[in-house]
Structures are given as structure tokens and as C-alpha cells.
Amino acid sequence: MSDLDQLLGQIRAMPADARLEQMDGAVMQAVVCRREQGMARRSLMLAGLLALGIGWAGSIVPSAPAQAASTPIGMSDYAPSRLLGQ
């Protein structure tokens, strides 16, 4: 047991690695990055659900019944044949 105590004492006397001092900043930066990613993901899901809800509600409750146009498609009131009375 005394050998183990001596080894632990030697390890305790060794200087700490310099990289350990920088570890706090790296860990906190990763935590902030994860939090931002989660918030962006939740915002995107909320926007998608909102769009689906609006689309579903718009399909269930139409504002006015569909009606066919009285003029052919592409026929303008300003077409030469209309202006000349033909």
C-alpha cells in the first residue's frame, strides 16, 4: 500500500497540464452552441407546424366558392380584338 501512496504523492506533486486551464472556455462554448442549435430546431419545428395548421384551416374553411371566369384565359380587355369591337 505504501507504493500506491508514493505514486499518488508523486502524481500530486506534478504540475497540471496547461490545456486544462483552457478547458472551461471550450466547454462553455460548446454548451452555448448546443443551446443555439436546439433553439433553432425548435423554431423551425414551430414554423412548420404553424404553416401546416394555416394550410389545413384554409382548406377546411374556404373563403368563397370557386367560379369559372367568363373570359377565356389570357384574353385581356385591352386586346386589339376587344378594343376594335370584334
Side-chain angles (χ1 to χ4, degrees):
M1 209 46 153
S2 64
D3 291 336
L4 182 59
D5 290 334
Q6 288 176 355
L7 286 173
L8 289 174
Q10 289 174 356
I11 291 174
R12 188 180 321 124
M14 291 173 54
D17 192 359
R19 294 177 293 173
L20 292 175
E21 294 175 8
Q22 301 168 354
M23 191 168 74
D24 284 345
V27 169
M28 293 308 292
Q29 187 177 14
V31 167
V32 169
C33 183
R34 283 268 176 122
R35 186 177 296 153
E36 288 174 355
Q37 287 175 349
M39 188 177 297
R41 191 174 294 128
R42 282 190 298 272
S43 298
L44 185 60
M45 287 181 0
L46 179 63
L49 287 174
L50 184 64
L52 284 172
I54 290 172
W56 179 75
S59 68
I60 296 296
V61 184
S63 61
Q67 295 179 355
S70 61
T71 59
I73 296 175
M75 189 70 161
S76 171
D77 288 335
Y78 300 113
S81 59
R82 295 257 177 149
L83 293 174
L84 295 174
Q86 295 178 352

